[in-house]
Amino acid sequence: MNSFQLHQPKDLGSAASFANSGGDTRFLAGGQSILASMKLGLASPDAMIDLSLVPDLKSISVSNGVVKIGAMVKHADVAANAEVQKAIPALAELAGGIGDRQVRNMGTLGGSLANSDPAACYPAAALGLGATIHTDKRSISADSFFLGLYETALEAGEIITAVSFPVPEKAAYVKFKNSASRFALVGVFVSKGSQGVRVAVTGAGSCAFRATDIETALAGSWTAAACNAVKMTSDNLNGDLHASAEYRAHLIPVIAGRAVAAAK
Amino acid sequence: MSVNVTMKVNGQSVSATIEASMTLVEFIREHLRLTGTHVGCNTSQCGACTVHINGRAVKSCSLLVAQAQGAEVLTIEGLAAANGDMHPMQAAFKEHHGLQCGFCTPGMVMSACELKGKLVDPTDEQIRASIDGNICRCTGYQNIVTSVKAGLAAMA
Ligand SMILES: Cc1cc2nc3c(=O)[nH]c(=O)nc-3n(C[C@H](O)[C@H](O)[C@H](O)COP(=O)(O)OP(=O)(O)OC[C@H]3O[C@@H](n4cnc5c(N)ncnc54)[C@H](O)[C@@H]3O)c2cc1C
Ligand code: FES
Ligand code: FES
């Protein structure tokens, strides 16, 4: 790893001013993605801004049909939170299935969304529940947040502070794991409720996306059979040594169907 | 850039001035000379470097030292009693042949210890799922699962 300046601000305002002070700066949440990129030389920031001492980024609240989770809340803490388990069991289960126990003890919600890894789980939940991503500057709907491979609507130096997830009537996330990396080969989050029927797919494209054909089919009939009747095109899907684009296209409705069957 | 860090490692206070880019495992092995914590991959895959920070299992190759600022760190060296008696999880790995070459073992044991109170009377399946952040290239896992089960029972 190249050397860098390390800032450990104690409030959001100072974190933002370090981030906007010029040079290549990166935030440090749990380090579970960024440190690996730095070891590989894919990122070599001049300065890192550790967000762990910034207050107010670590709370979880459930009220008025919304689960609000701070950006620095760790996957393990979402998975173990009784209020989240009760309000959106699919979200707690998704968090409890990310990577492995050690990764879940460090990795954060904000880091996962900001990273927009093509195979990450949380982006599917954000899109699949119609979440709102709050930053130090504004609120962004999940539908306009994920722009591409490791690319989001965040501006340079913008800090995610929390995410609001509307509580659905029913939801589930099913991940078809890449057994080596434990990321999603294909993962599908389905929900229905005040946000309508939503189906979000991860692992298959350059970033998480909504499968609108499956949403239409499920709006007509909330059944696994309705998913299975949809044929996805493999255009623009990822193909690699783990799975061809055609195989991923085949998996999407199948996994969506399993999620519908599991939804609660 | 260098930073000052202070933490407790296996109950003892340590302070040092280190490069900001130093990982926790480098600090533990090369600075504190506690070489029981191993580095298998250095890429967060294998779990050989697992230690506890404030009671939670983490992969110390994927953390900066500064992320353990002020924390209580526990490594494999801190498990046994002062008189040398093995910790119940270590004793279970010995008793049930939960190791062959032993390279993965410190990480396996540290990872397994975090399961105390989380898995009550677990099935083999639950144990396998819980240690999926730790890779063993020798044993085929059978005896590791048996050891973890016995170790957790002894710790209960
Ligand atoms: C072995 C392994 C397996 C994994 N498996 C999975 C999996 O199955 N599913 C899955 O979803 N993920 C998986 N992950 C990734 C994991 O979920 C990480 O927690 C996540 O990618 C982000 O890491 P982090 O929170 O530590 O963020 P960091 O690595 O600290 O930061 C990541 C990026 O986000 C930026 N950032 C962080 N916080 C903020 C913020 N609040 N505002 C703005 N920008 C911010 C940083 O600048 C950096 O660019 C895995 C990781 C490992 C190592
Ligand atoms: S050395 Fe840290 S996970 Fe392999
Ligand atoms: S005993 Fe050799 S790697 Fe596990």
Side-chain angles (χ1 to χ4, degrees), chain B residues 112-133:
Chain B
C113 284
E114 197 212 11
L115 294 171
K116 181 184 180 210
K118 292 189 177 161
L119 288 185
V120 182
D121 203 7
T123 61
D124 286 9
E125 198 56 36
Q126 284 174 310
I127 292 174
R128 282 176 188 272
S130 300
I131 57 168
D132 69 351

Side-chain angles (χ1 to χ4, degrees), chain B residues 84-99:
Chain B
D85 283 352
M86 278 189 276
H87 180 277
M89 190 60 77
Q90 292 174 305
F93 270 71
K94 176 169 185 246
E95 172 68 20
H96 298 280
H97 305 285
L99 60 145

Side-chain angles (χ1 to χ4, degrees), chain A residues 32 74-77 79 94-108, chain B residues 56 129-130 132:
Chain A
Q32 298 305 287
K74 297 181 164 146
H75 308 331
D77 294 326
L94 173 144
I98 292 176
D100 52 53
R101 216 154 24 90
Q102 292 96 317
V103 168
R104 294 193 291 274
N105 278 338
M106 287 304 295
T108 68
Chain B
R56 291 179 149 207
S130 300
D132 69 351

Side-chain angles (χ1 to χ4, degrees), chain A residues 25-36 48 51 57 71-72 75 94 97-100 103 106-115 117 119-123 154 158-161 173 175 177 181-184, chain B residues 43-45 59 62 67:
Chain A
T25 59
R26 289 295 190 107
F27 296 111
L28 177 65
Q32 298 305 287
S33 294
I34 187 68
L35 295 179
M48 298 209 74
L51 296 177
L57 300 181
M72 286 295 284
H75 308 331
L94 173 144
I98 292 176
D100 52 53
V103 168
M106 287 304 295
T108 68
L109 171 59
S112 176
L113 296 184
N115 205 44
D117 186 290
C121 301
Y122 264 132
L154 291 174
E158 188 170 4
I159 305 171
I160 300 177
T161 53
Y173 175 66
K175 169 161 77 163
K177 276 191 203 176
S181 77
R182 287 157 244 139
F183 275 89
Chain B
T43 57
S44 293
Q45 307 300 316
K59 293 174 178 170
S62 298
Q67 291 179 274

Side-chain angles (χ1 to χ4, degrees), chain A residues 87-207:
Chain A
I88 316 182
L91 187 60
E93 283 167 23
L94 173 144
I98 292 176
D100 52 53
R101 216 154 24 90
Q102 292 96 317
V103 168
R104 294 193 291 274
N105 278 338
M106 287 304 295
T108 68
L109 171 59
S112 176
L113 296 184
N115 205 44
S116 186
D117 186 290
C121 301
Y122 264 132
L127 270 183
L129 289 166
T132 302
I133 293 132
H134 309 287
T135 76
D136 59 332
K137 296 184 177 147
R138 55 189 169 140
S139 291
I140 310 170
S141 86
D143 285 333
S144 45
F145 187 81
F146 303 101
L147 301 184
L149 189 69
Y150 301 112
E151 199 192 336
T152 67
L154 291 174
E155 288 162 12
E158 188 170 4
I159 305 171
I160 300 177
T161 53
V163 182
S164 294
F165 298 94
V167 175
E169 275 164 41
K170 276 186 171 197
Y173 175 66
V174 173
K175 169 161 77 163
F176 192 88
K177 276 191 203 176
N178 172 330
S179 52
S181 77
R182 287 157 244 139
F183 275 89
L185 192 71
V186 166
V188 182
F189 196 105
V190 300
S191 79
K192 70 170 180 173
S194 62
Q195 308 292 304
V197 170
R198 299 178 73 99
V199 176
V201 178
T202 188
S206 59
C207 64

Side-chain angles (χ1 to χ4, degrees), chain B:
Chain B
M1 175 190 177
S2 41
V3 289
N4 299 320
V5 290
T6 302
M7 65 188 79
K8 269 197 171 167
V9 179
N10 302 331
Q12 295 200 331
S13 290
V14 298
S15 296
T17 303
I18 46 98
E19 260 305 303
S21 60
M22 184 182 262
T23 59
L24 183 60
V25 75
E26 286 176 276
F27 182 67
I28 290 171
R29 287 180 54 88
E30 287 160 34
H31 194 94
L32 302 178
R33 299 279 166 190
L34 294 170
T35 53
T37 302
H38 293 168
V39 178
C41 63
N42 206 21
T43 57
S44 293
Q45 307 300 316
C46 75
C49 64
T50 302
V51 302
H52 290 194
I53 292 196
N54 298 329
R56 291 179 149 207
V58 299
K59 293 174 178 170
S60 60
C61 72
S62 298
L63 239 70
L64 298 178
V65 189
Q67 291 179 274
Q69 180 74 273
E72 304 254 354
V73 178
L74 182 67
T75 72
I76 190 75
E77 288 89 347
L79 279 188
N83 68 2
D85 283 352
M86 278 189 276
H87 180 277
M89 190 60 77
Q90 292 174 305
F93 270 71
K94 176 169 185 246
E95 172 68 20
H96 298 280
H97 305 285
L99 60 145
Q100 287 179 16
C101 80
F103 193 86
C104 70
T105 316
M108 282 286 179
V109 169
M110 295 310 292
S111 176
C113 284
E114 197 212 11
L115 294 171
K116 181 184 180 210
K118 292 189 177 161
L119 288 185
V120 182
D121 203 7
T123 61
D124 286 9
E125 198 56 36
Q126 284 174 310
I127 292 174
R128 282 176 188 272
S130 300
I131 57 168
D132 69 351
N134 295 80
I135 293 173
C136 175
R137 281 286 158 96
C138 302
T139 63
Y141 299 97
Q142 197 64 37
N143 288 354
I144 292 179
V145 173
T146 311
S147 305
V148 172
K149 194 180 274 185
L152 287 176
M155 285 168 80

